[in-house]
């Protein structure tokens, strides 16, 4: 009996970075037990700022002293390495674990971009291959203890978000990013239905690119409109997490790999993200 227990302990989690791991040997999914909160960032459409929100939300949480993992499962367009200034980094493999790339002491990152031979490589994979990669990304990364795992999913309600939610389990919460336009809001409804069908709760809706802060006068102009995300939240009973303005600096800092760190403490985008973190 004691032997069995010992073998069981040695079996699966032999490389686990957590010394007092209570799930040792209980299966591949054991590592997920070390993650307190799983947030899956979804959007109905591409280009609404989902990766920007995922990266900056992870940084905002890490800045608050939380231990955070940022997982980029956007297989065809992994943009997290660029936004986080980690282009060119490669993830190490310590069998059977994939070692995430450290952004700072509180934040570790995994992206397919860290596994490709070079940053311009195009990935032409069909569903099953993508599914098994996502499974590995979720179950075989040596995250250690995490307060938050933030997952940047490809847009839509297809194979990848489905795999992510199914593998993470029903305690994973979706955070839906939208822009204020009606076409984007329509897609959010589909994302909400998708979460209902898969059985995962929605933590809330974020309206990105909501109003433009004029760099000259500081006035707010509603280029894409605003308030649709809030209206939808009211209508569906889902929490409204907040609005992030359309801002030149956040776009530039994302391109430059500096993300939120380039923004001053009182910058409107930083303030918006901090409010979102509080509401989460
Ligand atoms: P998605 O992941 O939804 O495809 P991205 O996060 O890649 O979208 O963002 C698309 C583009 O929009 C990027 O160039 C990004 O810098 C820019 N962007 C995102 N959010 C904002 C914002 N609030 N203000 C200005 N530009 C933004």
């Amino acid at each position: 009996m004691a032997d069995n227990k010992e073998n069981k302990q040695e079996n699966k989690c032999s490389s686990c970075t957590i010394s007092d791991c209570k799930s040792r040997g209980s299966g591949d999914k054991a590592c997920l037990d070390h993650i307190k909160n799983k947030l899956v960032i979804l959007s109905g459409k591409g280009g609404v700022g989902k990766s920007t929100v995922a990266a900056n939300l992870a940084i905002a949480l890490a800045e608050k002293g939380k231990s955070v993992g940022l997982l980029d499962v956007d297989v065809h367009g992994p943009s997290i390495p660029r936004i986080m200034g980690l282009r060119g980094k490669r993830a190490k493999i310590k069998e059977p674990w994939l070692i995430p790339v450290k952004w700072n002491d509180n934040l570790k990152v995994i992206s397919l971009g860290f596994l490709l031979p070079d940053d311009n490589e195009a990935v032409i994979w069909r569903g099953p291959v993508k599914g098994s990669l996502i499974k590995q990304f979720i179950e075989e990364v040596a995250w250690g203890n995490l307060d938050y795992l933030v997952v940047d999913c490809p847009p839509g309600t297809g194979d990848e978000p489905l795999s992510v939610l199914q593998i993470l389990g029903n305690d994973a919460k979706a955070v839906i990013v939208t822009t204020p336009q009606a076409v984007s809001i329509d897609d959010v409804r589909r994302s909400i239905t998708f979460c209902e069908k898969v059985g995962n709760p929605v933590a809330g809706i974020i309206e990105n690119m909501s109003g433009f802060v004029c760099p000259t006068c500081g006035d707010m102009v509603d280029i894409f409109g605003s308030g649709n995300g809030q209206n939808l939240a009211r209508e569906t009973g889902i929490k409204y997490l907040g609005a992030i303005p359309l801002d030149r600096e956040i776009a530039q800092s994302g391109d430059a790999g500096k993300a939120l760190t380039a923004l001053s403490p009182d910058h409107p985008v930083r303030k918006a993200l901090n409010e979102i973190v509080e509401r989460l």
Side-chain angles (χ1 to χ4, degrees):
M1 186 75 179
D3 274 347
N4 275 349
K5 203 175 165 193
E6 231 165 69
N7 283 341
K8 212 180 163 197
Q9 287 206 340
E10 279 168 9
N11 269 347
K12 290 284 182 189
C13 282
S14 52
S15 309
C16 185
T17 46
I18 298 165
S19 56
D20 64 342
C21 171
K22 293 189 177 54
S23 322
R24 280 188 171 211
S26 61
D28 287 342
K29 282 199 173 192
C31 282
L32 297 178
D33 291 348
H34 304 302
I35 301 171
K36 286 188 196 149
N37 299 285
K38 300 159 195 156
L39 299 176
V40 180
I41 316 299
L42 297 178
S43 71
K45 274 199 191 319
V48 300
K50 176 184 47 59
S51 299
T52 304
V53 169
N56 288 308
L57 195 60
I59 295 175
L61 286 163
E63 282 182 346
K64 292 203 179 300
K66 303 292 178 194
S67 171
V68 185
L70 174 59
L71 173 60
D72 176 12
V73 292
D74 201 335
V75 175
H76 297 289
S79 45
I80 291 292
R82 173 179 286 282
I83 298 172
M84 303 293 285
L86 297 173
R87 254 164 83 91
K89 298 273 181 198
R90 294 292 169 258
K92 293 198 176 78
I93 295 170
K94 192 177 159 215
E95 284 291 350
W97 300 98
L98 193 56
I99 310 299
V101 171
K102 219 172 164 184
W103 188 80
N104 73 6
D105 283 346
N106 289 348
L107 177 52
K108 299 168 201 162
V109 187
I110 274 290
S111 164
L112 178 67
F114 300 151
L115 299 175
L116 297 174
D118 76 76
D119 291 329
N120 300 323
E121 190 77 27
V123 172
I124 309 167
W125 288 345
R126 291 192 192 275
V129 183
K130 287 191 274 186
S132 65
L133 175 91
I134 290 171
K135 196 164 155 56
Q136 273 182 300
F137 266 14
I138 293 177
E139 295 179 349
E140 291 169 26
V141 176
W143 291 117
N145 285 310
L146 288 184
D147 294 313
Y148 289 90
L149 176 68
V150 178
V151 186
D152 181 20
C153 266
T157 53
D159 278 355
E160 291 100 324
L162 181 62
S163 299
V164 168
L165 290 177
Q166 284 178 336
I167 299 167
L168 280 177
N170 290 131
D171 60 333
K173 293 181 184 162
V175 172
I176 301 178
V177 180
T178 181
T179 53
Q181 300 101 311
V183 277
S184 182
I185 294 287
D186 288 345
D187 283 330
V188 175
R189 289 180 205 276
R190 282 186 268 277
S191 298
I192 295 170
T193 315
F194 170 75
C195 292
E196 275 167 10
K197 283 192 175 160
V198 189
N200 286 74
V202 178
I205 296 172
I206 296 174
E207 190 175 278
N208 187 33
M209 307 190 191
S210 174
F212 166 70
V213 189
C214 171
T216 315
C217 64
D219 274 1
M220 186 77 94
V221 187
D222 283 342
I223 291 186
F224 298 136
S226 72
N228 280 335
Q230 195 160 14
N231 293 341
L232 182 70
R234 210 173 290 130
E235 180 198 313
T236 54
I238 288 172
K239 195 170 185 176
Y240 181 66
L241 293 172
I244 301 172
L246 183 69
D247 179 81
R248 190 173 56 171
E249 277 183 72
I250 192 71
Q252 286 172 345
S253 67
D255 279 354
K258 293 190 176 136
L260 194 57
T261 55
L263 308 185
S264 62
D266 59 348
H267 192 282
V269 171
R270 188 182 271 283
K271 278 191 190 163
L273 276 157
N274 283 334
E275 279 170 27
I276 288 167
V277 165
E278 291 306 321
R279 288 185 196 126
L280 267 174

